[in-house]
């Protein structure tokens, strides 16, 4: 009987597309757009990406109850 080796390398992405970031946060894209104060990064012209570490910080703040909306964060989301 033949044997086979399978080597799989999985690299966690740090930068996520909007749909991936929304999924990572457990939100539909529609709600993610209005709820998430994290600003995307434009690494390549026309491509907005969200940093997973920034999303983690935001989620941790929400969990701890330390998130307070300021006028600037509300206007930034609009």
């Amino acid at each position: 009987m033949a044997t086979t080796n399978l080597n799989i390398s999985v690299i966690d992405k740090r930068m996520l597309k909007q749909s991936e970031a929304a999924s990572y946060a457990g939100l539909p894209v529609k709600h993610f757009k209005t709820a998430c104060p994290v600003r995307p990064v434009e690494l390549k012209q026309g491509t907005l990406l969200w940093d997973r570490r920034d999303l983690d910080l935001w989620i941790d703040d929400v969990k701890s109850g330390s998130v307070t909306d300021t006028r600037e964060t509300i206007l930034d989301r609009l």
Side-chain angles (χ1 to χ4, degrees):
M1 179 174 247
T3 60
T4 304
N5 290 328
L6 178 61
N7 294 320
I8 298 176
S9 177
V10 178
I11 299 173
D12 286 333
K13 294 193 309 186
R14 178 172 171 184
M15 304 304 287
L16 306 170
K17 296 176 189 171
Q18 186 176 57
S19 61
E20 295 169 327
S23 179
Y24 181 76
L27 297 171
V29 173
K30 177 181 174 182
H31 297 300
F32 178 79
K33 287 179 181 181
T34 58
C36 182
V38 176
R39 289 182 178 238
V41 177
E42 190 173 17
L43 291 179
K44 177 182 148 193
Q45 187 175 358
T47 303
L48 296 177
L49 300 170
W50 281 256
D51 190 327
R52 191 177 58 178
R53 292 178 188 168
D54 292 340
L55 293 172
D56 287 340
L57 290 173
W58 166 58
I59 292 167
D60 290 342
D61 286 346
V62 170
K63 286 175 54 181
S64 71
S66 66
V67 170
T68 55
D69 282 338
T70 65
R71 184 173 190 267
E72 289 75 26
T73 59
I74 293 168
L75 289 174
D76 286 343
R77 286 188 295 212
L78 297 175

